[in-house]
Amino acid sequence: MKKILLSLIAIITLLPSSVKADEGMWFLMFIERLNHRDMQKMGLQLTAEEIYSINNHSLKDAIVQFNGGCTAEMISKDGLVLTNHHCGYDAIAELSTADKNYLKEGYWAKNRAEELKPSSLYVRFFVRMDDCTKRILSVVNPSMSEADRAKAINSEISKIEKENNEGGKYTVSVRPFFQGNEYYYFVYQDYKDVRLVGTPPESLGKFGGDTDNWEWPRHTADFSMFRVYADANGNPADYSKENVPLQPKHHLPVNIGGVKENDFAMILGYPGRTNRWMPAGGIEQNVKFAYPAWVEGSKTGMDNMKKYMVQSDALNLVYASKFAGVANYWKNRQGMIDALTKFETAKTKAAQEAKFDKWANKPENKAKYGNVVATINAYYAMTNEKSRHDNYLMQLFRTSAFGTVSRGLGRQLENYIKADATKRTQMAPTIMEMAEGMHKELHLPAEKDILAAQLSLYNKKAGYTLAPIVEKLAKENGGDFSKYVNEIFDLSIFTSLDRIKAFLDLPSEELLKNDPLYVLSNDLLTHYSFKSEELLKAQNDFEASFRLLVEGLRESKIGEIKYPDANSTLRLTYGKVRALPADKRNDAVINNYTTLEGQVKKYKKGDLEFDLPVRVLEMNAKKEFGRFADKDGSLHVNFLTDNDITGGNSGSPVLNGKGELIGLAFDGNIEAMAGDVIFDKKLQRTINVDIRYVLWVIENFSGAKNIVDEMTLIK
């Protein structure tokens, strides 16, 4: 406890006397000292202990990380979990077939026996956290290289994790904050028996598609529901018919009273990554080099998936999940380019760094901080062209199923060749299962087009130093990779399950090493990860200087940010329901919510993005909204708050001042897309699904009242 108090005092001395209530992703363990008073003024009615407690149940016990990349919340005493539709997308797609397409048609279990278990899905409960900064930093010194520093820190991290996992009962993660100037450890408990309870049809869950993604006004039922199972004693257990629904320490009551402008709203979740401490050179590099390549590479992959996806429901199902993931970041990165350029964020950061550099070169600071800004700027100048090159190549890896095959299935075959006969017998079924899983998620004609198009784009646009094999092939084929790709697909063992099985029956190192897809993938990956001695030295100096920049900005109080960047650890953000300026596209009286009537106005029969079930049209015409209608008589669909969130917050609960669920966070607005780098208190908004719309879709539209009856509803 003494260590915690000392850490609190250290942090508090660096805080201003008042904090912007709508900015910041805050640690729960510091809420009492740093935020609680501001939150109370805005409408919070809970104590800090009711939000975060180690010894008693609290809000944090109802919040889970969902499958490592999203957030979800417990909403019943029987382990019912609510998250976004796009967070459950992979699991729903995996459980779907052409005959039983749950993505397209939706699904609602009428009883526990009908709940469906995907092959791999887990939720992570947060148990506690603590400060280990002093211990970690005691094993390093300024004379260490970054590699030696990392080695020493990782060794100490291993000890901390082992000391706190209670013999494997818990997962322990030590994470750096403020660019490695502070460290905290987090204790989690994972549950792996998680089953699909229900999902709306894709026409609701993904209404608006890519067109509306990151846009307001929005009309999307972006939610899906699962259930966590445990053994008879409430402990994590592998899937078994004998498992029972988990009885969580806390579940969220659901408030169906609705929201209005300036209502208090807080969000707890697992924001993935922000870069608000990023130097000006890094922002400039992203805007001019990295992100344009990311956008173009993503679009190339998406275009070649799409032309097959529209051919049939079966092919659409094959690529639906991958396409959605690529499309999301494609639009995000373009939005980042536009917003960061418009607001001249790099210029603002450069002015701050100039001010810091002046402070850093005062006699008393020069030895430690004098070269920091110059070193950082030199690194970005050296790596600008490489960042463009790497992003073109990265999109090839993200969109082509065979781009990284040498490190995936290829690595398994390498190990198989080296194994003895007994070991091979054990390995073969696992390798075939891996190969079958891979082939289930691809269509060979599409993969040929994706790979050929990405190789062509990389050859034309990447610049820098191309991968040797691409440079060679471009000269031999005049820059046209279609014929080459067709030939290697016909020859490679990786494109045929029968060939892979035959290889397992008669393994050959020579055959694998000369397989054309293996050779291509290996060459691309080797080139992507290669770093010259000069670059390694520059990277070492940059990492040390970036850490010093953050330390110096905090010490000098030139830096305005008072919270650490997001890094997939549990955070709290608070603000209010808050409208954007009036928008003629929104039929709502105040531009902080949308209605079902507005959704129906966007309806386009048969359109991939804006089609709607006939039943929705009929129910809207008759105003069949039941107990979930707003006081104004309409059914509210989505609403806005000014909370500070980012990717990873998808599925996070939006809570009122009493800790009751009022909505589900699922997106941000494109006008404030620079939010991962700089918070805009005027424009930044979180787009949320109104919980009343969620319940209306379940109970009224889908007829699954049995699921709503599990919840604790508050009027």
Side-chain angles (χ1 to χ4, degrees), residues 370-437:
N371 295 322
V372 163
V373 172
T375 301
I376 288 172
N377 289 339
Y379 171 77
Y380 284 122
M382 177 187 289
T383 57
N384 280 333
E385 292 294 339
K386 179 171 170 42
S387 73
R388 173 160 49 205
H389 165 279
D390 288 359
N391 274 271
Y392 278 116
L393 206 46
M394 188 194 308
Q395 298 319 304
L396 184 154
F397 296 146
R398 291 185 75 222
T399 58
S400 166
F402 295 100
T404 57
V405 75
S406 64
R407 299 285 168 89
L409 187 56
R411 185 66 54 83
Q412 295 302 313
L413 295 182
E414 289 175 20
N415 294 334
Y416 185 81
I417 291 168
K418 298 172 185 176
D420 59 31
T422 302
K423 185 67 174 174
R424 285 179 182 175
T425 302
Q426 297 170 349
M427 294 173 68
T430 303
I431 292 175
M432 278 309 301
E433 184 179 349
M434 182 179 183
E436 288 165 0

Side-chain angles (χ1 to χ4, degrees), residues 98-119:
D99 294 331
K100 294 182 178 180
N101 191 335
Y102 303 133
L103 272 182
K104 183 177 181 180
E105 299 161 7
Y107 179 80
W108 294 100
K110 296 182 180 65
N111 51 58
R112 305 284 164 81
E114 291 187 0
E115 294 173 1
L116 306 175
K117 175 68 173 70
S119 61

Side-chain angles (χ1 to χ4, degrees), residues 155-229:
S155 176
E156 200 63 25
I157 284 174
S158 295
K159 295 174 186 176
I160 293 171
E161 290 175 348
K162 186 175 182 180
E163 290 166 11
N164 290 279
N165 69 16
E166 296 191 17
K169 179 180 179 180
Y170 297 116
T171 297
V172 182
S173 175
V174 179
R175 305 301 301 274
F177 297 89
F178 296 110
Q179 204 59 31
N181 286 292
E182 292 183 11
Y183 287 83
Y184 295 82
Y185 72 81
F186 299 79
V187 180
Y188 304 102
Q189 190 167 36
D190 295 347
Y191 285 79
K192 298 179 180 179
D193 187 352
V194 183
R195 307 177 196 179
L196 175 66
V197 173
T199 179
E202 192 171 34
S203 55
L204 293 179
K206 204 182 174 187
F207 183 81
D210 297 321
T211 299
D212 272 6
N213 191 21
W214 302 105
E215 301 286 346
W216 180 263
R218 196 69 173 275
H219 304 80
T220 310
D222 198 344
F223 76 93
S224 55
M225 306 189 82
F226 296 80
R227 193 181 307 278
V228 183
Y229 282 78

Side-chain angles (χ1 to χ4, degrees), residues 18 24 31 34 61 84 141 146 177 198 220 243 270 321 535 616 626 666 675 706 714:
S18 63
I31 292 299
L34 304 185
D61 297 312
N84 283 158
N141 62 69
E146 290 301 296
F177 297 89
T220 310
N243 287 347
Y270 286 85
S321 182
L535 181 57
V616 169
F666 74 95
N706 58 301
I714 308 293

Side-chain angles (χ1 to χ4, degrees), residues 597-665:
E597 181 67 28
Q599 183 181 47
V600 169
K601 286 179 180 177
K602 286 184 175 180
Y603 164 67
K604 297 176 185 177
K605 185 177 180 179
D607 189 90
L608 288 174
E609 296 183 317
F610 294 100
D611 199 5
L612 283 171
V614 173
R615 180 164 162 73
V616 169
L617 305 179
E618 294 172 345
M619 294 179 76
N620 179 67
K622 297 175 182 178
K623 306 303 178 188
E624 293 180 3
F625 306 145
R627 55 179 171 162
F628 305 119
D630 190 74
K631 297 179 184 70
D632 63 15
S634 68
L635 180 64
H636 290 201
V637 174
N638 298 152
F639 69 93
L640 292 172
T641 60
D642 59 8
N643 295 93
D644 188 1
I645 70 164
T646 189
N649 273 122
S650 292
S652 292
V654 189
L655 306 170
N656 64 16
K658 296 179 180 179
E660 298 163 348
L661 186 65
I662 55 174
L664 190 63

